[in-house]
Amino acid sequence: MRTFLSDELKETPEGREADDILRSCVHCGFCNATCPTYQLLGDERDGPRGRIYLIKEMLETNSATRETQLHLDRCLTCRACETTCPSGVQYNRLLEIGRAAVESRVKRPLSERIQREVLLRTVPEPNRFRLLLGLTNLARPLLSAAQKKTIPVSEPAGEPWPSTTHRRKVLLLEGCAQSVLAPRINLATAQVLDRLGIQALPAAGCCGALSHHLSREDRTLATIRRNIDHWWPAIEDRAEALVLTASGCAPTVMDYGRLLQHDPDYASKAEKLASIALDISEFLEQQNLEALGNATGDEPLIAFHSPCTLQHGLKRAGSVEILLSRLGFRLAAVQDAHLCCGSAGSYSILQKDLSRQLLQQKLKCLEKEQPALIATANIGCLTHLQSGTDLPVKHWIELLLNCGESSPHR
Ligand code: SF4
Ligand code: SF4
């Protein structure tokens, strides 16, 4: 694609990067075929190729409209288009640059600014998020059964983590929403790791993905620096990995090095953290799992939903399914497994209608073979899927507690 960005813009790192990405697109349109929003809306501007054109136009003319903002907002950042693109166009990075550019040129209506600010000030802060959920749930008696399902509840912390000390240690990211909505996920992870002779050390904090996706770089970088300060003593104490149980956090944490590359005080530490960050599926793939034992053989049929961050962001499509099958779990075939469930971080709140349509489509595919439960790998997807089904929805790591003869969870 030919581009005509101003020399001034091309002198900036973002301008050069955007120019390179734009030039790598041959506008073939293959990506539209797997874009959930293009499939729903049928508008070129709601597909990846159209959004690429909108960003190109904005950067070339140095102007943006509310319409540009609307079509970029509707993107789920699911990255299915990147998986499909034969030219390797780094769409997600271009979208980040485009969204930051549109934010600085187009002022949002007051209601949207308030909504985004409330999200940024509550979700990444577990105490505030818990309080907000508690207040929201006060209205529960007034709601219909369907409405009640859309409001998550916070979960009590449950059993303490295993207390055995092991020579091998990993940091386990607690995250923000997950630590309030489902602390059982990291508890299960710590128990699984304990059975493998690995000690999980809790790493408190939000990864910064929410503010990053809302183009609030100031806030994102402050969050990352705070995380590095908190986690660094454990890294120096030879924690061998930073393990992530929410696949939605992983791409952001793995990008810490790039995000802080210009900060002389934090660049090398950020790079180090990014280099040892692993999704729990990848970490377990590298371990000898014999100590876990296998599934019992009479396990119920499971439909696995692979989050976009896992399959398109981390390029780990099929990895959890292979691991579960290897351990003896029975998995249902899932049609259109590449499509987003509509959760997409704050998307389910900011783009409710599109999000609900995608949820219905996804549940239809997941429930087709009548599984007994749905498993996934990201708290956002888990909560979103649960809001639309009566089937239990779990993180797949919880299933591993059912492995082996000695499990107390059988
Ligand atoms: S992003 Fe890739 S698939 Fe989409 S139009 Fe450009 S080159 Fe084609
Ligand atoms: S990230 Fe997802 S929603 Fe956005 S353009 Fe690509 S495929 Fe479409």
Side-chain angles (χ1 to χ4, degrees):
M1 182 184 285
R2 292 181 68 196
T3 58
F4 302 95
L5 271 60
S6 69
D7 289 343
E8 192 187 347
L9 185 59
K10 279 199 276 186
E11 274 166 24
T12 65
E14 284 77 19
R16 274 195 299 277
E17 207 180 349
D19 197 45
D20 286 346
I21 299 171
L22 287 169
R23 283 168 183 269
S24 68
C25 174
V26 296
H27 46 90
C28 61
F30 288 164
C31 48
N32 281 351
T34 55
C35 173
T37 54
Y38 181 73
Q39 288 188 3
L40 280 182
L41 300 164
D43 184 328
E44 176 74 15
R45 295 165 302 175
D46 287 313
R49 182 174 60 179
R51 291 183 177 120
I52 289 170
Y53 271 110
L54 287 172
I55 294 169
K56 175 179 182 294
E57 190 184 15
M58 173 172 56
L59 296 179
E60 285 178 345
T61 61
N62 196 23
S63 65
T65 62
R66 179 81 179 125
E67 210 181 344
T68 310
Q69 192 173 49
L70 172 78
H71 295 294
L72 298 193
D73 279 354
R74 283 186 188 156
C75 173
L76 293 141
T77 59
C78 69
R79 299 170 72 173
C81 49
E82 284 188 9
T83 301
T84 309
C85 174
S87 304
V89 173
Q90 289 179 289
Y91 169 83
N92 189 56
R93 182 64 193 126
L94 182 67
L95 183 75
E96 282 174 5
I97 297 170
R99 279 184 170 167
V102 88
E103 281 314 291
S104 65
R105 289 165 174 81
V106 180
K107 193 170 182 181
R108 291 185 179 277
L110 182 64
S111 58
E112 285 188 18
R113 278 183 279 146
I114 292 173
Q115 191 180 33
R116 284 165 179 250
E117 206 54 40
V118 169
L119 279 174
L120 284 166
R121 287 175 189 269
T122 51
V123 180
E125 305 287 341
N127 288 336
R128 290 186 199 166
F129 185 44
R130 195 174 286 109
L131 181 66
L132 181 71
L133 285 181
L135 292 174
T136 313
N137 275 292
L138 288 178
R140 199 165 264 275
L142 308 172
L143 303 177
S144 66
Q147 286 170 324
K148 278 180 192 159
K149 285 176 74 177
T150 64
I151 302 178
V153 286
S154 58
E155 183 184 276
E159 306 166 42
W161 279 24
S163 55
T164 318
T165 303
H166 296 288
R167 187 183 54 79
R168 294 186 64 193
K169 298 178 199 315
V170 295
L171 274 169
L172 183 56
L173 177 64
E174 290 193 325
C176 50
Q178 180 173 299
S179 68
V180 175
L181 297 172
R184 66 177 195 272
I185 294 173
N186 271 11
L187 173 64
T189 309
Q191 290 168 336
V192 166
L193 292 174
D194 183 51
R195 284 165 67 180
L196 298 174
I198 301 165
Q199 187 178 353
L201 308 170
C206 162
C207 68
L210 180 69
S211 54
H212 187 47
H213 292 151
L214 294 178
S215 303
R216 292 292 294 269
E217 284 319 277
D218 47 347
R219 205 177 264 266
T220 307
L221 299 185
T223 300
I224 300 174
R225 289 189 189 99
R226 194 178 57 196
N227 288 345
I228 291 174
D229 289 342
H230 285 164
W231 304 342
W232 199 250
I235 303 291
E236 288 191 315
D237 199 24
R238 294 198 296 277
E240 61 186 86
L242 170 59
V243 174
L244 312 162
T245 48
S247 65
C249 303
T252 304
V253 176
M254 290 174 189
D255 206 19
Y256 276 9
R258 186 190 64 77
L259 289 165
L260 281 180
Q261 63 184 320
H262 301 302
D263 184 328
D265 295 329
Y266 284 89
S268 63
K269 289 180 178 175
E271 188 61 51
K272 168 74 180 171
L273 266 181
S275 73
I276 62 166
L278 288 172
D279 181 76
I280 181 66
S281 60
E282 194 171 4
F283 183 77
L284 289 187
E285 264 174 21
Q286 299 170 4
Q287 312 305 317
N288 178 350
L289 302 183
E290 263 175 38
L292 289 182
N294 282 335
T296 56
D298 54 0
E299 299 292 335
L301 187 65
I302 299 160
F304 181 70
H305 164 60
S306 183
C308 301
T309 38
L310 187 72
Q311 57 172 321
H312 305 303
L314 301 181
K315 311 289 180 221
R316 294 187 52 72
S319 57
V320 172
E321 293 92 321
I322 290 171
L323 203 140
L324 289 175
S325 300
R326 225 179 78 203
L327 290 169
F329 291 97
R330 289 194 306 128
L331 294 179
V334 177
Q335 200 187 330
D336 288 336
H338 63 284
L339 288 179
C340 181
C341 68
S343 167
S346 54
Y347 196 90
S348 58
I349 296 165
L350 300 175
Q351 300 287 337
K352 271 201 175 71
D353 290 348
L354 290 173
S355 171
R356 293 310 287 182
Q357 287 182 58
L358 290 168
L359 175 66
Q360 297 315 325
Q361 285 183 6
K362 177 54 71 179
L363 284 171
K364 209 168 153 195
C365 295
L366 287 166
E367 291 174 349
K368 192 160 180 223
E369 292 203 6
Q370 300 181 326
L373 67 92
I374 294 171
T376 187
N378 185 47
I379 184 65
C381 307
L382 189 155
T383 314
H384 190 56
L385 292 169
Q386 192 67 85
S387 74
T389 180
D390 290 329
L391 288 178
V393 185
K394 298 186 173 204
H395 191 292
W396 66 270
I397 195 78
E398 298 177 78
L399 306 176
L400 269 53
L401 295 175
N402 293 338
C403 286
E405 295 283 310
S406 59
S407 168
H409 297 271
R410 285 177 59 190

